[in-house]
Amino acid sequence: MKIRPFLVSILLYSCVDTPKTLPVVFYFPHNLKEVSAVEVPEKSGLIWVCEDSGNKPELYALDAEGKIVNTVTIKNTDNNDWEDLTSDQDGNLYIGDFGNNDNNRENLAIYEISASDLTKSDAAIAKKIEFYYPEQKDFPPKKSQRFYDCEAFFYYKDNFYLFTKNRSSKFDGTTMLYKVANKTGHNPAQLIGKFKTCDEFRKCAITSADISPDGKIVILLSCAKAWLFENYKNDDFLNGKVREIDLQDYTQKEGIGFLNNSEVYISDEREKKIGGKLYKLKL
């Protein structure tokens, strides 16, 4: 197999002015404490969220006021660590069950839920895409080599693009971009790029990602910042023009999803009396 060369992106940032406080759209219902993803499928009109490790294997559909209008229980599976959601042009929803804090999982997977099942109270997995990182040889690897957690992905032209969450003991802000084919089976994830954010884990470890409906903007999220990539060619996202957004906030932001081509929703987890909100950011 011919391996496409990649570059470690080291680019100059131009910060975007942002409000001191992100505009709040609504507070999540009290029973949703650990929202780890937010996605607005095309033609849906609903905001879909899930919670991460240790929570029920359920998807929640919310309206524009934050009311849960449907709960879909996913049958015959567990919520090992659901970290992100994405969707395709047909409205099918995909669950990223690839959270891997300790870098010891060998059952990483993406689940497809058919659009037609999202109106029901329970649904079966329409397709299971299993994958692995060819570069990882030990489970877990040495602490200095723990690069294989992931909380961020999106769907684009029948492939998934995953951005790893660096948990190495020598954190330097590097996230690795992997490409996974949308097909059943045990698929190798192809490493196609790397990007360096900053060397402070709390501010710069990647927690979510999305691509705009028109495919022209990719956005990455951390607890304190976001990075926009534009003017790239094909799926060479990391070598496009990049802008850094200082969100000026340090809640545990876990989800980001495009509402349209110029606005995104951002979600954070509730911790004591802070967080647990959905925000809207104009780009």
Side-chain angles (χ1 to χ4, degrees), residues 13-186:
Y13 299 131
S14 57
C15 289
V16 176
D17 292 334
T18 57
K20 291 183 178 180
T21 303
L22 286 171
V24 177
V25 180
F26 57 67
Y27 287 76
F28 286 108
H30 188 70
N31 61 311
L32 297 181
K33 296 181 179 180
E34 295 183 310
V35 173
S36 61
V38 56
E39 177 70 10
V40 183
E42 289 190 41
K43 304 176 183 178
S44 167
L46 295 173
I47 302 164
W48 286 89
V49 303
C50 67
E51 296 187 288
D52 57 17
S53 177
N55 290 286
K56 296 178 181 179
E58 295 179 340
L59 299 173
Y60 306 93
L62 287 74
D63 63 17
E65 284 72 46
K67 178 183 177 181
I68 297 176
V69 296
N70 194 29
T71 298
V72 184
T73 299
I74 309 304
K75 297 185 292 185
N76 302 321
T77 191
D78 295 318
N79 184 340
N80 291 299
D81 198 353
W82 295 5
E83 287 291 357
D84 209 357
L85 297 172
T86 189
S87 58
D88 61 26
Q89 64 275 8
D90 296 320
N92 301 311
L93 203 59
Y94 298 90
I95 303 167
D97 188 0
F98 42 48
N100 192 17
N101 288 9
D102 296 325
N103 281 230
N104 60 354
R105 286 186 62 183
E106 297 185 64
N107 61 342
L108 306 174
I110 296 166
Y111 309 129
E112 178 187 313
I113 310 301
S114 296
S116 59
D117 284 342
L118 295 177
T119 58
K120 303 175 182 178
S121 60
D122 55 49
I125 295 172
K127 183 193 295 184
K128 182 177 181 180
I129 301 99
E130 299 173 283
F131 71 93
Y132 63 95
Y133 303 107
E135 292 77 21
Q136 182 175 6
K137 306 301 182 184
D138 299 309
F139 299 86
K142 296 178 181 178
K143 291 183 178 181
S144 62
Q145 301 294 314
R146 294 188 181 182
F147 306 125
Y148 304 104
D149 186 17
C150 183
E151 298 186 3
F153 83 141
F154 57 76
Y155 172 95
Y156 180 68
K157 294 185 177 180
D158 211 30
N159 289 286
F160 300 102
Y161 293 87
L162 286 66
F163 296 83
T164 61
K165 186 173 186 179
N166 188 329
R167 289 190 178 275
S168 66
S169 57
K170 299 178 180 180
F171 179 82
D172 65 355
T174 298
T175 179
M176 297 189 291
L177 171 57
Y178 281 92
K179 182 177 182 178
V180 176
N182 181 16
K183 61 181 182 180
T184 57
H186 197 48

Side-chain angles (χ1 to χ4, degrees), residues 176-283:
M176 297 189 291
L177 171 57
Y178 281 92
K179 182 177 182 178
V180 176
N182 181 16
K183 61 181 182 180
T184 57
H186 197 48
N187 304 294
Q190 180 187 0
L191 180 61
I192 63 172
K194 296 181 181 181
F195 178 73
K196 186 174 290 188
T197 55
C198 76
D199 59 5
E200 187 174 341
F201 182 85
R202 174 69 179 174
K203 290 184 178 181
C204 294
I206 299 302
T207 59
S208 189
D210 202 11
I211 190 168
S212 59
D214 63 9
K216 293 182 178 180
I217 303 174
V218 165
I219 190 164
L220 305 183
L221 178 72
S222 74
C223 288
K225 299 175 182 288
W227 293 265
L228 271 71
F229 298 85
E230 303 172 274
N231 300 328
Y232 44 77
K233 294 182 179 180
N234 301 313
D235 63 357
D236 194 16
F237 309 118
L238 298 182
N239 286 304
K241 178 183 177 182
V242 62
R243 292 187 290 156
E244 181 181 298
I245 300 175
D246 185 355
L247 299 176
Q248 303 181 16
D249 191 16
Y250 299 97
T251 61
Q252 189 169 335
K253 297 177 186 66
E254 291 281 336
I256 196 164
F258 274 92
L259 171 61
N260 51 52
N261 290 319
S262 60
E263 295 176 303
V264 293
Y265 284 139
I266 295 174
S267 65
D268 58 10
E269 293 190 1
R270 184 183 298 114
E271 186 176 353
K272 296 182 179 179
K273 295 183 178 180
I274 63 171
K277 304 172 187 176
L278 184 77
Y279 309 87
K280 183 189 290 185
L281 174 65
K282 292 185 179 181
L283 304 179

